């Protein structure tokens, strides 16, 4: 049956049934010769009144039978209006489902433009069988044998000017908007060209909500600067012939120079 004009129904439910495998199929087709597409629109009109923060705007659900022959909702996808203030509206988008028998478990959401995953995340076809692997990343096509853009890496593009920091922070599982106990990352030292940065490891000595203290800095030219004591009992420094290495202590500056691969000269200054 073909309906030439618009179709409006006022019933509570519309049911499509078929006993044929893979059917019924509901298709929305656009035959116009341009780049536009058809639209499936959910519209909560609030009976012509203003909406409210937190309104449900529409949802799509997936249902089936369980082993007890019960009709079961397995997953739903829906949207909400989080803020209805004119010119500053915000939305929420959610995917809920049955997880270990618990209904309406939120597994993914976007609120105010921020995305949150409730469970583990895998990319690139990586397996994620360990219950403590919260992020598993796989690059099945990595072929580079050098530190370049084609190597397999997690690429963090954070700083936007010289002097800005970008890195990874570590804290307890329920921490929210607190200074990290441990931080590792980079500080941009030059934003010209393809940029330049130094690498930093910082730790916090204490349990207050305070920023960690820089402990190790590796400069762009390879200099390594320790701000705390090196207490491993042994510090190994490798230099090529003709190069000089320095160690600064509270008693002064000490250094050595390899004049050739078998001779080393030591000197110090207070």
């Amino acid at each position: 049956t073909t309906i030439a004009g618009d179709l409006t129904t006022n019933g509570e439910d519309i049911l499509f049934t078929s006993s044929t495998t893979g059917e019924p199929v509901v298709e929305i087709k656009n035959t116009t010769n341009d780049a536009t597409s058809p639209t499936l629109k959910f519209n909560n009109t609030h009976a012509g009144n203003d909406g409210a923060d937190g309104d449900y705007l529409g949802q799509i659900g997936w249902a089936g039978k369980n082993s007890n022959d019960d009709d079961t909702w397995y997953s739903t996808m829906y949207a909400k209006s989080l803020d209805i203030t004119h010119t500053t509206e915000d939305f929420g988008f959610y995917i809920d489902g049955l997880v270990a028998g618990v209904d309406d478990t939120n597994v993914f959401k976007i609120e105010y433009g921020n995305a949150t995953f409730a469970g583990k995340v895998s990319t690139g076809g990586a397996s994620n069988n360990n219950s403590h692997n919260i992020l598993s990343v796989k690059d099945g096509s990595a072929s580079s044998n050098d530190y370049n853009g084609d190597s397999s890496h997690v690429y963090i593009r954070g700083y936007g000017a010289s002097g800005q920091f970008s890195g990874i922070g570590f804290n307890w599982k329920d921490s929210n908007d607190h200074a990290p106990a441990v931080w590792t990352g980079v500080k941009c030292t030059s934003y010209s060209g393809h940029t330049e940065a130094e690498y930093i490891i910082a730790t916090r000595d204490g349990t207050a909500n305070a920023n960690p203290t820089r402990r190790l800095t590796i400069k762009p030219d390879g200099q390594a600067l320790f701000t705390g004591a090196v207490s491993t009992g042994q510090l190994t420094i490798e230099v090529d012939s003709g190069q000089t290495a320095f160690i600064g202590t509270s008693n002064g500056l000490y250094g050595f120079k390899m004049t050739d691969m078998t001779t080393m000269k030591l000197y110090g200054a207070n």
Side-chain angles (χ1 to χ4, degrees):
T1 302
T2 301
I3 301 175
D6 295 337
L7 174 65
T8 300
T9 66
N10 295 315
E12 300 291 330
D13 297 288
I14 298 175
L15 178 64
F16 301 90
T17 63
S18 174
S19 60
T20 304
T21 300
E23 295 183 0
V25 175
V26 177
E27 179 180 0
I28 304 175
K29 181 186 293 186
N30 184 321
T31 60
T32 305
N33 186 19
D34 60 22
T36 62
S37 67
T39 300
L40 178 64
K41 180 180 179 180
F42 297 88
N43 188 6
N44 182 348
T45 64
H46 251 265
N49 300 302
D50 291 343
D53 294 346
D55 279 349
Y56 285 77
L57 305 177
Q59 70 175 7
I60 299 175
W62 290 266
K65 293 286 190 178
N66 64 10
S67 62
N68 197 45
D69 198 29
D70 300 321
D71 293 326
T72 304
W73 282 99
Y74 279 93
S75 182
T76 56
M77 181 171 63
Y78 57 95
K80 297 169 65 176
S81 55
L82 300 181
D83 183 355
I84 65 164
T85 305
H86 180 55
T87 73
T88 62
E89 297 91 343
D90 273 302
F91 83 102
F93 176 79
Y94 307 84
I95 298 177
D96 293 357
L98 272 171
V99 177
V102 179
D103 286 326
D104 301 326
T105 301
N106 180 249
V107 295
F108 174 74
K109 64 181 179 181
I110 302 174
E111 293 182 327
Y112 306 100
N114 301 311
T116 302
F117 290 88
K120 301 180 294 182
V121 179
S122 300
T123 66
S127 61
N128 208 346
N129 298 322
N130 189 308
S131 60
H132 300 293
N133 288 351
I134 57 175
L135 174 63
S136 184
V137 181
K138 177 181 179 181
D139 182 0
S141 61
S143 59
S144 175
N145 56 4
D146 201 355
Y147 317 115
N148 57 33
D150 293 326
S151 64
S152 180
H153 55 261
V154 177
Y155 206 35
I156 300 178
R157 296 181 287 186
Y159 55 76
S162 181
Q164 292 185 354
F165 294 80
S166 178
I168 302 173
F170 301 86
N171 221 327
W172 85 97
K173 67 182 182 67
D174 294 322
S175 175
N176 183 28
D177 196 27
H178 296 104
V182 177
W183 186 90
T184 183
V186 299
K187 176 185 177 182
C188 178
T189 56
S190 175
Y191 201 66
S192 63
H194 292 281
T195 76
E196 181 184 76
E198 60 187 23
Y199 179 69
I200 301 167
I201 296 177
T203 62
R204 181 174 62 217
D205 185 12
T207 59
N209 183 28
N211 292 335
T213 300
R214 185 186 301 218
R215 308 298 183 185
L216 169 65
T217 303
I218 301 179
K219 296 289 186 178
D221 61 2
Q223 295 183 66
L225 307 176
F226 293 88
T227 58
V230 180
S231 58
T232 59
Q234 177 176 317
L235 176 63
T236 301
I237 301 176
E238 297 182 358
V239 296
D240 294 330
S241 177
Q243 291 186 337
T244 304
F246 295 92
I247 301 176
T249 71
S250 58
N251 296 321
L253 183 65
Y254 300 87
F256 58 88
K257 179 177 183 179
M258 299 295 298
T259 56
D260 55 47
M261 296 308 293
T262 59
T263 306
M264 179 174 65
K265 289 185 177 181
L266 297 174
Y267 52 91
N270 293 323

